Amino acid sequence: MEQLAECPAESDLAGRASVCEGCPGQALCQSQGRIDPDQEMIDIRMNVIKHKILVMSGKGGVGKSTVGCMLAQVLASQSCKVGVVDLDICGPSIPKLLSVEDQVVVNTEYGWKTLLSPHNGIKVMSVEDQEKQVCLHVSKCILVNGLIKRFFKDTFWGKLDYLICDTPPGTSDEHLTAIKVLKNVRPDGAIIVTTSQGVSIATVRREVNFCRKMGVKILGLVVNMSTFVCPCCDELTNIFPEDEIEKLSEEQKIPILARIPIDTRVTACCEVGRNPVIEHPNSQAIKCMEQLVRSLFNVYK
């Protein structure tokens, strides 16, 4: 597979070289010029953020945004300065999960002021305006990619320990734009969220191939909804067979960072925008999220 070092995105051959054949970003590269005038400001904004993590999934419905938000909440509870940027422009769920639905983005002399979550002061940037989302659907290629760039270039993030980038399901223009604008600032890599059911595993393989072709390091897999926690006795019950996810991990040499169970108490908190890390710190799901954070710390060692 071609690596990012061989990608001619910054040359006259962008989208036209033989290596571009079959690349999902070929049309995007062909439509853009050689030098992006916004790149310098993007690099300035992002270079003061220590860790940039992409949260990805092969398909929708696996709880990617919920995992991304709980990751941010656990990090913030450990005194880290955390931001979450919602790149799922046409289907944002971060505002509800982090309880910033009623806030409005304000433009200041320093750039867009982030929304501020009551969950330990997590900074948030997202689109919640339903009318705007309809417009974005109409002219997606131009408006969505431009807005994602502005999330990185025009938002005054300040100094953060972690910026969690919640991406849409699959491999789309949103992913390509995010990878392109972050290329100079060395993002840590991607966490791929999945369930262990066969149909989800099949799409994860495509996500893995996409990341490797684009030169994005895969930090590991997070298996969501791996078990069900009984609300009465805390007994764990397997929902899907684990054989396929174990096989994928071994075959692709990708570690499984955590297995997150379904806990109805945590789910109820997320549904109304409350913080499960504070309200249910001893739940199995939160303990597994804390294990995910420890696994990430070990990756950085």
Side-chain angles (χ1 to χ4, degrees), residues 133-167:
Q133 289 172 37
V134 173
C135 295
L136 290 169
H137 275 294
V138 174
S139 188
K140 183 177 177 182
C141 238
I142 299 172
L143 293 177
V144 168
N145 294 327
L147 185 56
I148 286 175
K149 281 180 60 179
R150 295 197 67 185
F151 279 175
F152 293 107
K153 178 180 77 75
D154 293 337
T155 303
F156 181 57
W157 291 104
K159 292 184 178 180
L160 296 176
D161 296 307
Y162 291 89
L163 180 63
I164 308 299
C165 305
D166 183 54
T167 67

Side-chain angles (χ1 to χ4, degrees), residues 16-129:
R16 299 174 180 83
S18 59
V19 71
C20 300
E21 294 298 325
C23 174
Q26 184 175 16
L28 180 64
C29 284
Q30 288 175 342
S31 67
Q32 296 180 346
R34 263 181 63 185
I35 300 174
D36 187 346
D38 296 330
Q39 193 62 52
E40 182 179 1
M41 179 55 72
I42 291 170
D43 294 347
I44 291 171
R45 298 278 196 197
M46 293 293 107
N47 271 324
V48 295
I49 299 174
K50 292 180 183 177
H51 300 288
K52 280 81 64 176
I53 299 174
L54 297 163
V55 180
M56 308 174 77
S57 69
K59 66 187 295 296
V62 297
K64 168 187 54 61
S65 295
T66 302
V67 168
C69 282
M70 288 201 294
L71 172 60
Q73 289 162 341
V74 171
L75 288 167
S77 72
Q78 298 181 5
S79 301
C80 295
K81 295 180 180 178
V82 184
V84 177
V85 57
D86 189 353
L87 304 181
D88 193 353
I89 306 298
C90 297
S93 53
I94 297 299
K96 181 174 184 179
L97 291 168
L98 291 179
S99 194
V100 296
E101 288 178 291
D102 297 329
Q103 298 184 34
V104 178
V105 175
V106 177
N107 193 14
T108 72
E109 59 181 315
Y110 303 107
W112 287 349
K113 186 177 180 181
T114 58
L115 309 175
L116 195 62
S117 172
H119 302 176
N120 291 310
I122 295 171
K123 294 182 176 182
V124 181
M125 183 53 64
S126 181
V127 173
E128 180 59 21
D129 189 326

